[in-house]
Amino acid sequence: MTTSQFLEVDNIEVLYSQAILALRGISLRVEKGSIVALLGANGAGKTTTLKAISNLLASERGHLSRGTITWHGEVTRKLDPADLVARGVVQVLEGRHVFPQLTVEENLLSGGFVRRPSRRALADDLERIYSWFPRLKQRSGVRCGLTSGGEQQMVVIGRAMMTRPTLVLLDEPSMGLAPIIVEEIFRIIRDLNRNEGISFLLAEQNAHLVLQFADHGYVLENGRVAASGSAAELAGRDDVAEFYLGTA
Ligand code: ATP
């Protein structure tokens, strides 16, 4: 097997309890500095793939039953999620899990502590987050439970950025948000990619939109890769459009 210097997923299977085989041999790679889209219908295996990469399957009573994941050439099987965060891989879970009683700023700061930074470094990081998400600066003192869905999505991405990642795994960032807010969030993701060199693996059902921003895409179906290619290739394929994007 050849290992890339960044993320390489080689023929993984994932087994949940009650013998549910959710992934049936998925291979994919994320090149450094790229945005990769993970597409597919409900239940295709997108979330499971992200959790396999960030080693969050144990909390779901699932495990990698076959295959290998390598990060910078290192097999990740024995690492725990915090080890991966320390190595630059962070996952933003589906569903915008904020601490509702804490303010926007407190939620952001909670992401910084994993690195045990100095007070000064934490303040610098916070300023960087606010430069990317000016809306969060305006809302910094507001309790998160009182903010909009779009703002909460920005908070969870911003909180992940406090760990100074090089790869962000993002699960359904557009879910339940108005199109104009989704575009704002995707524009920020693209800026983080272009200006800061951060790579993204994005699980999304909104294929139309994500393929405008991604470099490369994988379409999952029933735990397998049904199609893959550059985002432009995928967007232009009639079969993909018809069967997976619902647009032909
Ligand atoms: P969605 O958009 O609905 O999250 P998805 O593409 O992310 O879909 P997964 O959530 O990864 O798909 O689910 C893949 C398969 O694994 C599905 O058949 C699902 O029912 C099953 N599955 C997911 N989580 C668990 C779990 N904790 N225990 C058992 N089976 C699970």
Side-chain angles (χ1 to χ4, degrees):
M1 191 186 78
T2 55
T3 53
S4 86
Q5 285 309 297
F6 212 62
L7 179 74
E8 183 106 18
V9 173
D10 184 41
N11 200 22
I12 59 167
E13 289 184 359
V14 167
L15 201 55
Y16 284 116
S17 59
Q18 286 149 3
I20 295 169
L21 190 60
L23 302 187
R24 300 157 185 267
I26 285 192
S27 298
L28 62 85
R29 61 164 54 190
V30 177
E31 303 289 346
K32 190 169 193 295
S34 65
I35 299 179
V36 175
L38 212 49
L39 308 170
N42 265 338
K46 304 181 296 298
T47 297
T48 302
T49 303
L50 298 187
K51 287 190 170 170
I53 295 166
S54 52
N55 276 347
L56 288 170
L57 286 172
S59 58
E60 303 284 333
R61 301 212 292 141
H63 70 278
L64 211 61
S65 50
R66 185 177 169 199
T68 312
I69 299 171
T70 52
W71 172 242
H72 289 284
E74 179 186 18
V75 176
T76 61
R77 185 180 284 270
K78 298 228 166 78
L79 302 176
D80 65 32
D83 295 330
L84 278 160
V85 171
R87 284 163 171 75
V89 181
V90 68
Q91 177 161 358
V92 179
L93 295 169
E94 185 177 350
R96 309 196 276 274
H97 299 282
V98 294
F99 299 110
Q101 301 298 337
L102 300 185
T103 65
V104 164
E105 185 150 312
E106 288 163 347
N107 267 274
L108 292 173
L109 287 171
S110 73
F113 292 114
V114 288
R115 290 187 295 107
R116 299 174 192 275
S118 66
R119 208 181 257 268
R120 174 72 196 273
L122 213 51
D124 287 350
D125 283 352
L126 199 55
E127 278 316 305
R128 282 190 320 136
I129 306 295
Y130 285 147
S131 72
W132 301 323
F133 298 93
R135 191 195 274 249
L136 295 186
K137 183 154 190 166
Q138 291 163 15
R139 306 282 279 161
S140 62
V142 178
R143 274 197 205 169
C144 245
L146 298 176
T147 61
S148 69
E151 287 164 349
Q152 291 179 1
Q153 186 62 56
M154 291 178 195
V155 167
V156 292
I157 297 173
R159 190 170 62 194
M161 297 306 302
M162 291 291 285
T163 69
R164 298 192 178 181
T166 49
L167 172 64
V168 180
L169 312 172
L170 206 47
D171 202 352
E172 301 274 358
S174 78
M175 189 183 278
L177 299 179
I180 191 163
I181 304 295
V182 174
E183 284 203 18
E184 187 180 346
I185 287 169
F186 272 84
R187 266 201 306 277
I188 293 169
I189 291 169
R190 184 170 58 194
D191 288 349
L192 287 170
N193 172 257
R194 287 192 182 158
N195 303 336
E196 309 291 329
I198 294 162
S199 307
F200 288 87
L201 180 58
L202 273 163
E204 250 306 334
Q205 290 203 32
N206 189 338
H208 252 326
L209 182 70
V210 76
L211 287 177
Q212 291 170 30
F213 289 89
D215 300 298
H216 204 87
Y218 293 84
V219 181
L220 303 191
E221 191 186 45
N222 206 10
R224 292 196 173 87
V225 177
S228 68
S230 72
E233 265 163 37
L234 283 180
R237 270 178 57 168
D238 287 347
D239 58 338
V240 171
E242 183 174 358
F243 294 110
Y244 304 110
L245 312 187
T247 55

